[in-house]
Amino acid sequence: SQQGEEDPQALSIQEGENATMNCSYKTSINNLQWYRQNSGRGLVHLILIRSNEREKHSGRLRVTLDTSKKSSSLLITASRAADTASYFCATDGSYNTDKLIFGTGTRLQVFP
Amino acid sequence: EPEVTQTPSHQVTQMGQEVILRCVPISNHLYFYWYRQILGQKVEFLVSFYNNEISEKSEIFDDQFSVERPDGSNFTLKIRSTKLEDSAMYFCASQVTPEGANVLTFGAGSRLTVL
């Protein structure tokens, strides 16, 4: 099994609704990040939550982290058509490693 | 806003050919990465580079791959003899320093198609 698996794989909602995406991981972490990827483009950092934090907000984004369950969720409130993208969680290792391990991603489609 | 730029945006090559993908990281960033994403799959770490040497590499980054910072601005990924399975989107990323949380700024990617 892989570090960083998101669910659902795909999510379709109407504008104005909230979108919730979940991420599970396997190993201990220092922090967890969420990135967004528009189709055919690079990843854009959205928000970072440290292992000693439980919840963090940034604009319409709310991230939670439960280290006991090794899971995180990303909530986008009052979604807009422009939020249509793929969303990935990424974890670092708690030991000395450079790499981020990305999840499988959730494809979000927001219909106007 | 500063950005990471990558060229080419798309390259088509024949199997066995050498390919060089180029990246210009953000100017005050010191830590550089290459990741790749095979169509429809996860974004995978290839290599990190700091202080003019490889800091860490994945098992994907075999002898066919190399990275270089030939001057003060460019950061390149070379694939010596491309294989069909090298077809992917290759992303360059940079980070201000290696200390602290590794929040990455990614380029738009170079799509490599190996025929």
Side-chain angles (χ1 to χ4, degrees):
Chain A
S1 53
Q2 306 259 359
Q3 176 91 330
E5 310 234 352
E6 284 97 330
D7 76 271
Q9 288 189 328
L11 181 61
S12 295
I13 58 175
Q14 295 291 131
E15 257 190 338
E17 294 180 339
N18 296 341
T20 299
M21 291 160 268
N22 303 296
C23 165
S24 61
Y25 58 92
K26 300 290 183 188
T27 65
S28 297
I29 60 171
N30 290 314
N31 60 67
L32 183 144
Q33 304 178 49
W34 285 89
Y35 285 81
R36 166 196 166 122
Q37 183 183 33
N38 284 63
S39 180
R41 305 288 296 174
L43 294 99
V44 176
H45 172 79
L46 294 175
I47 194 166
L48 178 149
I49 186 165
R50 299 187 188 280
S51 59
N52 61 354
E53 297 175 310
R54 292 298 167 255
E55 187 170 313
K56 199 160 183 182
H57 297 253
S58 176
R60 293 184 296 113
L61 304 181
R62 173 178 165 251
V63 170
T64 62
L65 179 65
D66 187 336
T67 52
S68 67
K69 294 181 180 177
K70 291 187 167 58
S71 67
S72 173
S73 68
L74 171 68
L75 167 68
I76 303 174
T77 59
S79 63
R80 304 166 182 167
D83 294 329
T84 295
S86 290
Y87 292 81
F88 295 88
C89 67
T91 54
D92 67 348
S94 61
Y95 301 105
N96 189 22
T97 178
D98 301 336
K99 64 184 178 186
L100 291 180
I101 301 173
F102 284 85
T104 51
T106 293
R107 290 187 311 278
L108 174 65
Q109 174 85 50
V110 182
F111 292 100
Chain B
E1 187 169 328
E3 59 180 24
V4 175
T5 57
Q6 290 186 241
T7 55
S9 57
H10 189 192
Q11 180 153 357
V12 181
T13 191
Q14 293 291 324
M15 192 169 56
Q17 295 295 305
E18 176 183 282
V19 161
I20 297 176
L21 305 178
R22 293 182 168 81
C23 169
V24 179
I26 294 171
S27 61
N28 65 333
H29 285 194
L30 301 176
Y31 214 98
F32 315 116
Y33 300 80
W34 283 100
Y35 283 78
R36 80 171 185 189
Q37 185 180 33
I38 295 170
L39 186 64
Q41 297 187 24
K42 288 188 178 188
V43 176
E44 301 173 290
F45 170 80
L46 291 179
V47 66
S48 58
F49 191 87
Y50 173 67
N51 207 22
N52 279 323
E53 61 183 21
I54 290 174
S55 179
E56 186 176 351
K57 59 183 181 179
S58 72
E59 56 274 11
I60 302 168
F61 195 88
D62 61 21
D63 291 345
Q64 292 301 310
F65 290 88
S66 62
V67 288
E68 197 175 40
R69 193 139 196 257
D71 52 43
S73 59
N74 289 287
F75 177 50
T76 62
L77 174 69
K78 181 193 288 187
I79 309 174
R80 289 189 183 82
S81 179
T82 50
K83 303 187 282 284
L84 294 176
E85 54 265 37
D86 293 328
S87 294
M89 196 78 162
Y90 288 82
F91 293 105
C92 174
S94 68
Q95 175 184 343
V96 175
T97 71
E99 288 82 36
N102 44 348
V103 174
L104 304 185
T105 303
F106 282 84
S110 292
R111 180 172 299 284
L112 176 64
T113 301
V114 183
L115 303 176

